[in-house]
Amino acid sequence: MQSLPMDAHSGYARTSRALTRWARWKGALRTRAAGTIVLLTLIGTLLPAPVEAQLPRDAGTVATGLLLRQLDGVKRVLMVAAHPDDEDTGFLTEMARGLGAETAYLSLTRGGGGQNLIGPELFEGLGVIRTGELEAARALDGGSQLFSRAFDFGFSKTAEESLTMWPRDELLADVVWAMRTFRPQVVVSVFSGTPSDGHGQHQAAGIVTREAFALAGDPEAFPEQLRDGVRPWRPAKLLETSRRRFLPDAPIVEGEIVVPIGAFDPLLGRSSFQLAMESRSQHRSQDMGAAQPPGPRNSGVVVVASNVPDPEGSVFSGVDTTLVGLASELPPGPSARAARSIGAYRSAIASARAAFAGGGTAAPEAGVVDALRRALSALDAALAAAEGHPVDELERVLLGKRALVERTLAAAAGIVFDVRADDDLIVPGQTVEVEAMLWNGGSDVVRHPEVVLLPGPDWPVRLLGVDGVSDEGVVPAGTLATWRFEVEIPTDAEPSRLYHLERERDGAMYRWPEDRSLWGLPRDPAKVRGDLSFALGDGAAGVGLEKPWRYVGVDQALGELVEPVLVLPAVSVGVSPGGMVWPRGSEETRAISVVVRTEAEEGASGEVRLEAPSTWSVAPATQAFELTGAGQERSLTFEVTPTGAPEAGAHRLRAVARTTDGRRYDEGFTLIDYPHIERAALFEPAVSEVAVVPVRVRPGLRVGYVMGTGDDGHEAIRQMGVDVELVSEERVRSGNFAGYDVLVLGVRAYEARADVRAANEQIFDFARSGGVVINQYNQYQFSEGAYAPYRLVIGRPAPRVSVETQPVRILEPESPVFAGPNRISDEDFAGWVQERGLYFASEWAEAYVPMLEMNDPGEPSRRGSLLVASVGEGVYAYAALSFFRQWSQRVPGAYRLLANLISLDPEAWRAFEAR
């Protein structure tokens, strides 16, 4: 559930006899107020995704009670920050679930520049995961989720850097757009816009939020936005979170508005704070699991700016949140009629709340439904009073309230509506059966129910049959009615691409599509929706519900599962590896795997070719494939050999499949599918990007790679021509590293793996006996746990160099680290992406030799990025450089430096130390 209706603009075009008058009125409004549809579409499609942890969404006592809280008044809060996990979930939960306000969180980015603790995805893939985690969080705390076009390009230390990567006017326009479409009275900035915010992207968020607050109501600002019903909007108040961090005994900041979030809520069965911590725990890719302790807690905000008197009493003090206040915008006669109808509406919902409070689990039988039917009639009268006058905030709010009352009435009456497709992964040209189900779980009869499927454009729909509706058009209490449809997917239907990934990024900004209704949404709405209209009992007011189609299946281990329906290409082509480094001068032959897959029921057949530049040979030239049914795939191996001494630089190998009907396919997809988020498809070209790099390694090396939180380091080493093996957990725990010359520990291995922590002494033993240990960066647990062989401290905040173009000084150019087998120079630090490194050591024992010096602009020099020390007969290196980020972009210097590290000869290193 959430505080905004889904597609509020489209829930009224009904065709049953009981709704003919309303349909005619709404049709006239559609013609007159087409611009309102953009606003309502943008906000209305923000229902959270179904996830494993969430509150009851549709019917019953809890759903009814939470919806009843949202029916009176107009309260909207927009929170703005930079990233997934920046939001104050306690504040949002109390506003939405406790107070019944409409809330939204605008995250400037989707978090793609961070790290991933649950899988291998980075950049855009990680952004998809973190988008899903924000949706899952909002499904719990009751808010909506919005985004700007900004791409998280990684850590920065200044607002100036962030607002250089993100063109200031474009970012500001996005925040203004969010304010004009969501129309909050209260804007809450998580950040101050000053260096105290830390991360430069945090600072930028604070700056543009303040600027947007001042500009959103100015028609001269971004006038291109002011069409299709979008109007200037002047928020009443700008607040800033006081960052109490939910501590029960935190001192009150001067001027702070304290928001209690620790009271027990009988509908939630816990406090807003406890629910907020479950919401926060959805950020699993960021290691954000949180406890849910009971007892008093507080959140808080301070007033930054206000356009209303007395702004400091409470969050909404000084703000007119009444529906009657909006009616005063109409001319006197219509205003009086609308005010009377609004009074009747408020009286009806007061009766519904009283009946609910007095009826307990019997509330739907104790007057709630009757009162809500009266509320619908009163809203229709108020809307009729506004008819013929310019579209304004009153109509927008009343339409939204009507959709919300419809949902509340259905919840109280035990009406459940669901739309199910018979397949979850569909292809162009396929015919899909869809079943819409109306379960009348209450005691009233449902009259004149009708279901209309609202598919994508030019998708033919055919009604196959209706069951469970009597000849008189009635669904009796306690029964189920079903409508069966057939939907034909056109042969030219577009796959289910995420709208913000349809086009290549413009630097650090995504490109929004022409369809303005998508701007800022977490993802595209479902391709097909079911629209149910009916009358309940003897009520005259029409009721409408909408649901997206979903696939419902069964996992034999986990039970029922619900998945979105995704349109995928009939044939997909994937290449593995998708990128690799090729040592210049190597004449080896490598195997490239091309996986051909079909989701078409009838299967697919044809041939595959791996296209390569003239300096490469591919064998065989083509290979045939035949797939007999949906879900089948075949892996084809091509052998690639350099034939003309390829030059250093980028080379591209592209796989192309041609089916027997002449269609060409050269794209694959990855299903990003984790149990706590909505599944999505990430599309990518069937290409292997090859970087020919002048890199050498010491011959005969055997490397053991201990995976940390997930990276491609082992593949990077293998592609340099080294024998590398992923070390199993069993072998790590046993401490048996015999047969390896080098152990490389993946990023954050000490945080992610208990076996690595337990085997730490055996890792030292491996070094003492003459092995080389390369320990990539770790966080504070590593230094606080004293897991290094000698004293090594990572200070708080951890030193890092976030500007990837900053110069690097090589401190010991004649050391084995830089002298060979690859001579490392300044050129090897060109082209690095996102950052130089992070979690540098800030203090260390004399046994370590610092190898590099670097710093961000205006900061002192840092020497803790690469430390090397002798340990017994071997060598130990702490390497906090961001090697893991360079693999995806195949940065030559990163490979060359890592090649030198794994090629370290302990004897040569000791000779260097002894000089």
Side-chain angles (χ1 to χ4, degrees), residues 240-329:
E240 182 186 325
T241 57
S242 54
R243 308 183 195 182
R244 298 174 63 86
R245 299 304 181 200
F246 316 124
L247 298 176
D249 55 353
I252 295 176
V253 177
E254 183 178 354
E256 181 180 22
I257 300 170
V258 177
V259 180
I261 57 175
F264 180 81
D265 187 321
L267 286 178
L268 301 177
R270 47 185 160 170
S271 68
S272 290
F273 170 74
Q274 290 175 301
L275 180 57
M277 292 303 97
E278 185 176 355
S279 167
R280 191 158 191 81
S281 296
Q282 301 311 303
H283 296 297
R284 298 181 188 178
S285 68
Q286 300 188 75
D287 203 17
M288 287 287 173
Q292 302 175 31
R297 289 291 191 282
N298 292 310
S299 182
V301 290
V302 294
V303 178
V304 175
S306 178
N307 295 318
V308 296
D310 184 32
E312 297 186 358
S314 67
V315 171
F316 287 98
S317 59
V319 180
D320 185 356
T321 62
T322 65
L323 292 170
V324 171
L326 295 175
S328 64
E329 300 175 9

Side-chain angles (χ1 to χ4, degrees), residues 9 32 35 67 84 91 100 124 133 138 218 236 378 393-394 523 570 689 761 804 893:
H9 70 279
R32 179 170 56 83
L67 286 165
F91 180 90
E124 269 72 13
E133 289 175 341
R138 299 294 82 78
D218 181 359
E393 180 70 357
L394 174 64
R523 68 182 71 233
E689 301 281 358
E761 196 62 33
E804 65 273 19

Side-chain angles (χ1 to χ4, degrees), residues 794-851:
I794 301 171
R796 291 178 182 265
R800 65 195 300 165
V801 173
S802 60
V803 180
E804 65 273 19
T805 57
Q806 279 296 100
V808 175
R809 181 186 170 204
I810 298 174
L811 297 175
E812 301 289 350
E814 298 307 318
S815 74
V817 172
F818 303 120
N822 306 285
R823 170 60 73 171
I824 302 300
S825 68
D826 293 345
E827 293 181 3
D828 289 294
F829 293 96
W832 284 52
V833 298
Q834 189 157 324
E835 62 198 357
R836 291 294 189 197
L838 65 172
Y839 289 92
F840 292 1
S842 51
E843 300 176 29
W844 53 86
E846 289 185 2
Y848 295 104
V849 180
M851 308 305 296

Side-chain angles (χ1 to χ4, degrees), residues 361-379:
T361 56
E365 305 298 327
V368 176
V369 171
D370 286 341
L372 291 175
R373 283 193 292 225
R374 296 197 304 273
L376 280 179
S377 296
L379 282 175

Side-chain angles (χ1 to χ4, degrees), residues 125-361:
L126 178 57
V128 173
I129 291 174
R130 293 193 174 177
T131 294
E133 289 175 341
L134 281 171
E135 291 177 296
R138 299 294 82 78
L140 287 161
D141 61 42
S144 301
Q145 185 60 51
L146 296 169
F147 293 94
S148 82
R149 286 171 288 173
F151 170 72
D152 180 1
F153 57 84
F155 188 85
S156 70
K157 295 180 179 177
T158 67
E160 290 73 22
E161 181 192 0
S162 294
L163 293 174
T164 298
M165 298 292 291
W166 299 333
R168 189 175 188 137
D169 281 352
E170 294 182 34
L171 184 64
L172 181 58
D174 290 356
V175 182
V176 167
W177 171 263
M179 292 184 185
R180 286 174 172 174
T181 50
F182 185 71
R183 301 166 79 85
Q185 297 115 320
V186 176
V187 175
V188 180
S189 178
V190 173
F191 298 111
S192 66
T194 67
S196 65
D197 296 328
H199 198 320
Q201 293 181 8
H202 294 171
Q203 298 175 46
I207 289 170
V208 297
T209 302
R210 284 156 174 75
E211 293 177 353
F213 176 80
L215 291 176
D218 181 359
E220 300 298 319
F222 308 108
E224 69 280 359
Q225 295 182 356
L226 303 180
R227 62 180 178 85
D228 297 336
V230 178
R231 292 186 171 191
W233 177 258
R234 188 172 182 246
K237 298 165 73 169
L238 174 63
L239 310 178
E240 182 186 325
T241 57
S242 54
R243 308 183 195 182
R244 298 174 63 86
R245 299 304 181 200
F246 316 124
L247 298 176
D249 55 353
I252 295 176
V253 177
E254 183 178 354
E256 181 180 22
I257 300 170
V258 177
V259 180
I261 57 175
F264 180 81
D265 187 321
L267 286 178
L268 301 177
R270 47 185 160 170
S271 68
S272 290
F273 170 74
Q274 290 175 301
L275 180 57
M277 292 303 97
E278 185 176 355
S279 167
R280 191 158 191 81
S281 296
Q282 301 311 303
H283 296 297
R284 298 181 188 178
S285 68
Q286 300 188 75
D287 203 17
M288 287 287 173
Q292 302 175 31
R297 289 291 191 282
N298 292 310
S299 182
V301 290
V302 294
V303 178
V304 175
S306 178
N307 295 318
V308 296
D310 184 32
E312 297 186 358
S314 67
V315 171
F316 287 98
S317 59
V319 180
D320 185 356
T321 62
T322 65
L323 292 170
V324 171
L326 295 175
S328 64
E329 300 175 9
L330 297 172
S335 176
R337 291 194 298 274
R340 286 193 297 272
S341 298
I342 288 171
Y345 166 74
R346 297 190 69 235
S347 175
I349 61 173
S351 297
R353 287 174 172 174
F356 180 83
T361 56

Side-chain angles (χ1 to χ4, degrees), residues 9 45 47 221 396 663 867 869:
H9 70 279
T45 54
L47 275 181
R396 179 184 189 274
R663 295 180 182 272
L867 305 175

